[in-house]
Amino acid sequence: MCGIAGCIGYPERDRLETAIASAMRSIIAKMQNALKHRGPDDQGLYISGDRQAGLAHTRLSILDLSPAGHQPMSTDHGRYWITFNGEIYNFRQLRETLIAQGEIFHSQTDTEVILKLYQKHGSNCVNHLRGMFAFAIWDDQEKTAFLARDPLGIKPLYYWQSGSTLLFASELRTLIASGLPPKILNPKGLYTYLISGSVSEPDTLIQDINALPAGHWLQWKAGQTTQQQYWQIQFNPQPIPPTEAKEQVRQALIDSIKYHFVSDVPVGVFLSGGIDSTSLVALARQTQLGQLRTYSIAFEENQWNEGPIAQRIAETFETDHTEYILTSKVARQLMNQFIGAIDQPSIDGFNTYCVSKIAREHGTKVALSGLGGDELFGGYSSFQQVPKMVAWGKRLQFLQPLNLGRLLSQWTKNPKLQRISDFLQHPPNSFNAYLSYRGIFTHPETLQILNHFCPQQDTSTLRPTLEIPPCPSPEDEVSFLEINRYMRNQLLRDSDVMSMAWGLEVRVPFLDRVILDTIDTIPHSLRLSQGKQLLIQAVPELPDWVINKPKQGFLFPFDRWLNDPEWNELFQLNSIPQLSLTPWYRRWSLVILQKWLCNLGISLP
C-alpha cells in the first residue's frame, strides 16, 4: 500500500525549459510531501527528459522489502514508468507465465509484473489482475499516460484536468497541495454528501476534481483524455442446489483468504465480533499456521461494547488478541487527529482510524477486514425494507393527485418520516427508496443547506441518479446499490484513508474477484437469504453465540458522547438553516463538513 501522484503535460510550454523543469519538480514534490503518511518506508520521483511527465511515489513496504521495490519503477530501457498503489494477489502466477514467455525480472514485486503486463497487453492488462490497485504508467516513447483503478474501487484515484494538463493522486488533498486546482466547492458533490453521508464518485467536494470510477481506466494522449469501463458486477443467477452454492462460497472464501495473507510482513485481522470478521478468523485457521493477530475496539458503555464477544472469539480460535478500550476522554483526545486525517468528509471512519492505530502500534503493517460481507450476502435491513418501500410506493401512486408526500412533510417534522415523504414525491423505484432509507437529510433540507454554503449556485438539477443494470430481483438491485453507493463511497474510502493515516494496509477478502465471480451466479433466494444464511452455512466453524447475536455493526456511542461537556466545543456549529439535528449523525455530518472546510482553508458563510 502506498501513495501515488503525478503531473502529465505541464501547460507552460512556452517558458524556458529550465523554468518548466523547476515548476514540474516543485509541483510533484508538493504532492509527494502530502502523501508521506501513506508510504513511510521509501519515496521516489521521476520526471521525463522532456518535462512532459512527473511521477511521485511513497512506499509502504509489504512485498520485496529490498530496494528493488523502489518506485517509480521502469522497464529495462526506460520506456515505461509506473507508480502503483495496492496489492496484486496473483502476481506470482502472472510472473511465472511471463517468465515462461521470455520476460526477465529484477525484483520479487507485483509492481514489476504490472509493468511487464502493460508492455505486453496494453490496457487489457487490467483484466489479468486479481487484487486492489490504482496505478499510472507513463510511456516515454508514445508520450501517453495510462491510469487504472481496481474493479470494486478498493484503492482511490483522483484526477484534475485543465487544458492539456492532468494531475492525479491517491488523495484529494494531494491534488490541492499541488497549488493548481482552485479550492471551489462542488455543489453536486456537496449534495450527495448531505443526502447520504459521503460524496458519491465520480464527484468530489472540490469543483473539477473527480474520482476515476471503480472498474475504469483513463488514457491521456496529446492533452486529451478518454475513459473506459472494463468491469461491472452483474448478477446472472443459474440453477444451483443449496449444498453446492454453500460449498462454492466456502472454497472461494478460503482461496481468497489464502491469497490475502500473502505478505513479507505480519498480517492481522480486525475483529468486530460479527459474522463477517469471525468468518475471516475461522477460515484463516484453515490456511494459516502459527500465530494469528486480531484487534478490536471496546467501550465502557455496555450498549455499544462488543469487546467481550470479540475476546471470546479470539480465545475460541486461539488468536493473539489486542483490545483497545476507547473511553469518551480518549476518543476526544484522538478526535482532532482524526479530523486532520480526513480526505473527504463522511459520517464514518473513526472506527477504522482507532483500530488501525492499535494494530500499527503493535507492529502490524497489514490487516484483513470483513468489509463487503453485508453487501454480498444480504446483511442489512435495506434488503427487506427497500423492496417493501418500492411496493408501497407503487400501490400509493393512485393517490398522486393528493400529493401525499407533500402532505406528510407538512404534517410532521420527524426526520425519518420526512425522508419517507421525500420518497413519495419521486418515482417509486429502488434507487429513490434506497436514497430515502440510507438518507441523512431530505432533498428539500439539502437544498436549504446548499443555498447556505453555495448561495449563487443553481441547485435545481442536483438530485443524483444512478443507472442500475437489469437485475433479476429487487433484492439484487439493493445489493448493487449497497456495493456501488454505501460500500464504495463510504466504507472503502474511509477504510483506505483512515488506515493509511497510520501507515497500515487494509485488505478486504470478501471483495476478491474470485468470490464475486462465484456469488454473481447464485440466485438471490440463496445468496441474500435473510440473516446471511448462505455465508453462515459456508462457515460451519462459526459458534452459535456469534450467529445468534443481534446484529449491531461497528458502532460508536457518539450520541452519548455529545452530552459530555468535553465534547461541547467540538460540536459547535456556525449559523445554518433551522433544521432538526437529531438523530446525532445529522449534526455530526455538518460538524465534520465544517471542520474539513476550515482545515482546507475554504471560508465559511
Side-chain angles (χ1 to χ4, degrees):
M1 196 75 68
C2 306
I4 67 172
C7 177
I8 309 296
Y10 191 73
E12 300 178 50
R13 302 298 300 167
D14 55 337
R15 290 189 179 183
L16 293 174
E17 186 168 309
T18 53
I20 295 172
S22 177
M24 171 73 82
R25 184 169 292 276
S26 174
I27 291 168
I28 296 296
K30 288 176 183 176
M31 292 198 289
Q32 184 184 57
N33 187 60
L35 287 169
K36 281 184 177 179
H37 59 283
R38 295 185 68 95
D41 297 331
D42 188 22
Q43 60 184 36
L45 291 175
Y46 161 75
I47 296 179
S48 64
D50 59 2
R51 322 305 182 197
Q52 272 282 81
L55 305 178
H57 190 267
T58 60
R59 184 186 183 199
L60 180 67
S61 302
I62 303 297
L63 294 169
D64 190 345
L65 311 185
S66 74
H70 179 79
Q71 294 188 52
M73 182 184 290
S74 71
T75 51
D76 288 340
H77 301 291
R79 173 176 174 177
Y80 298 104
W81 287 82
I82 186 173
T83 182
F84 162 56
N85 169 33
E87 300 292 344
I88 306 302
Y89 302 122
N90 63 336
F91 82 98
R92 287 175 178 156
Q93 295 95 316
L94 293 171
R95 189 176 188 272
E96 290 174 4
T97 300
L98 289 166
I99 289 174
Q101 295 170 352
E103 294 290 344
I104 298 173
F105 285 82
H106 304 285
S107 74
Q108 298 295 321
T109 66
D110 48 359
T111 308
E112 192 175 9
V113 169
I114 298 174
L115 262 181
K116 300 286 189 180
L117 279 174
Y118 182 76
Q119 182 177 252
K120 193 173 189 66
H121 300 290
S123 62
N124 286 332
C125 69
V126 293
N127 296 312
H128 296 263
L129 304 177
R130 176 183 182 181
M132 53 183 186
F133 55 84
F135 64 83
I137 295 177
W138 171 251
D139 182 340
D140 200 40
Q141 179 175 307
E142 297 293 330
K143 307 302 178 185
T144 61
F146 178 79
L147 283 63
R149 191 173 174 213
D150 65 70
L152 271 296
I154 302 170
K155 293 294 99 194
L157 188 56
Y158 299 95
Y159 69 94
W160 173 80
Q161 186 174 9
S162 178
S164 63
T165 301
L166 177 72
L167 293 187
F168 65 86
S170 296
E171 295 186 3
L172 179 78
R173 293 173 298 173
T174 306
L175 295 177
I176 295 171
S178 72
L180 293 183
K183 292 187 284 189
I184 301 173
L185 268 178
N186 175 16
K188 190 176 179 184
L190 182 54
Y191 181 98
T192 62
Y193 171 73
L194 295 169
I195 281 283
S196 62
S198 62
V199 184
S200 297
E201 67 175 41
D203 292 300
T204 72
L205 278 182
I206 299 299
Q207 192 77 49
D208 299 325
I209 295 180
N210 296 296
L212 181 64
H216 282 66
W217 57 254
L218 178 151
Q219 186 175 59
W220 180 97
K221 183 176 183 179
Q224 302 296 314
T225 59
T226 56
Q227 270 191 51
Q228 183 170 313
Q229 184 175 33
Y230 67 87
W231 188 89
Q232 174 65 280
I233 190 167
Q234 293 183 334
F235 302 114
N236 299 298
Q238 305 295 322
I240 183 173
T243 53
E244 186 177 335
K246 175 189 69 176
E247 187 59 28
Q248 284 186 7
V249 169
R250 179 177 179 82
Q251 292 307 314
L253 280 169
I254 290 175
D255 183 70
S256 176
I257 291 169
K258 179 180 70 175
Y259 275 95
H260 280 71
F261 267 94
V262 173
S263 171
D264 293 331
V265 297
V267 179
V269 180
F270 290 164
L271 182 57
S272 68
I275 289 172
D276 300 332
S277 62
T278 308
S279 295
L280 294 185
V281 172
L283 293 179
R285 278 294 175 220
Q286 305 295 312
T287 63
Q288 304 303 307
L289 300 176
Q291 186 185 71
L292 179 61
R293 302 180 181 186
T294 53
Y295 301 93
S296 66
I297 300 292
F299 304 106
E300 292 179 317
E301 296 86 355
N302 290 331
Q303 181 181 349
W304 291 271
N305 187 23
E306 292 202 322
I309 197 166
Q311 185 70 47
R312 188 178 175 186
I313 294 166
E315 291 171 358
T316 299
F317 294 102
E318 299 180 339
T319 73
D320 179 8
H321 188 63
T322 301
E323 180 180 270
Y324 185 30
I325 299 177
L326 198 64
T327 65
S328 175
K329 183 176 181 180
V330 171
R332 181 64 185 90
Q333 292 170 346
L334 286 173
M335 190 54 60
N336 287 336
Q337 296 177 45
F338 163 70
I339 291 171
I342 292 173
D343 189 42
Q344 285 197 93
S346 104
I347 61 168
D348 205 351
F350 190 53
N351 47 7
T352 304
Y353 184 80
C354 294
V355 74
S356 296
K357 173 182 184 295
I358 196 66
R360 194 67 179 92
E361 288 176 351
H362 281 73
T364 295
K365 292 180 77 172
V366 179
L368 307 190
S369 164
L371 194 158
D374 286 317
E375 290 79 3
L376 298 185
F377 295 102
Y380 299 128
S381 57
S382 58
F383 285 91
Q384 292 78 49
Q385 299 304 321
V386 168
K388 287 180 182 178
M389 289 175 65
V390 174
W392 275 106
K394 290 178 177 177
R395 290 173 188 170
L396 292 172
Q397 277 190 307
F398 75 95
L399 294 175
Q400 190 65 26
L402 298 178
N403 207 331
L404 187 61
R406 188 178 298 275
L407 289 174
L408 181 59
S409 68
Q410 294 171 351
W411 174 72
T412 178
K413 297 302 179 185
N414 179 286
K416 184 175 181 179
L417 293 177
Q418 283 284 320
R419 293 205 306 271
I420 292 174
S421 75
D422 191 19
F423 165 64
L424 292 175
Q425 296 178 64
H426 293 88
N429 56 44
S430 292
F431 181 63
N432 286 327
Y434 180 81
L435 284 183
S436 174
Y437 185 81
R438 280 281 188 195
I440 307 299
F441 293 100
T442 65
H443 176 69
E445 289 172 330
T446 297
L447 293 185
Q448 278 185 264
I449 301 171
L450 266 173
N451 288 332
H452 175 74
F453 283 102
C454 308
Q456 306 303 318
Q457 295 289 336
D458 178 14
T459 59
S460 60
T461 60
L462 290 180
R463 187 172 176 87
T465 59
L466 181 66
E467 184 177 344
I468 302 176
C471 289
S473 73
E475 290 79 9
D476 285 308
E477 289 186 352
V478 177
S479 186
F480 179 88
L481 288 165
E482 291 289 10
I483 291 168
N484 288 280
R485 300 284 296 191
Y486 178 56
M487 187 188 80
R488 177 169 300 156
N489 298 318
Q490 186 164 313
L491 298 182
L492 284 176
R493 191 178 297 159
D494 288 341
S495 182
D496 171 82
V497 171
M498 293 308 159
S499 61
M500 290 309 299
W502 295 105
L504 177 80
E505 174 177 296
V506 170
R507 299 178 177 179
V508 281
F510 279 107
L511 302 182
D512 185 76
R513 281 283 293 270
V514 170
I515 292 179
L516 294 166
D517 290 342
T518 298
I519 64 100
D520 66 11
T521 60
I522 298 175
H524 79 276
S525 57
L526 292 175
R527 179 174 71 88
L528 301 175
S529 178
Q530 190 169 356
K532 294 194 281 196
Q533 289 304 307
L534 179 59
L535 177 58
I536 289 169
Q537 293 164 14
V539 190
E541 295 90 343
L542 288 171
D544 289 341
W545 39 269
V546 172
I547 295 170
N548 298 324
K549 179 181 67 70
K551 181 175 175 58
Q552 182 171 325
F554 204 178
L555 301 177
F556 276 53
F558 283 123
D559 54 349
R560 180 169 294 187
W561 291 347
L562 286 176
N563 296 318
D564 188 324
E566 292 189 11
W567 288 75
N568 286 343
E569 181 184 353
L570 176 70
F571 281 88
Q572 294 301 311
L573 281 169
N574 291 344
S575 173
I576 60 168
Q578 294 301 309
L579 299 171
S580 170
L581 295 181
T582 57
W584 66 269
Y585 50 77
R586 289 160 68 94
R587 173 181 287 274
W588 176 257
S589 67
L590 294 177
V591 167
I592 292 298
L593 173 63
Q594 179 177 282
K595 297 287 185 183
W596 182 81
L597 291 171
C598 288
N599 287 343
L600 209 61
I602 297 178
S603 59
L604 298 171

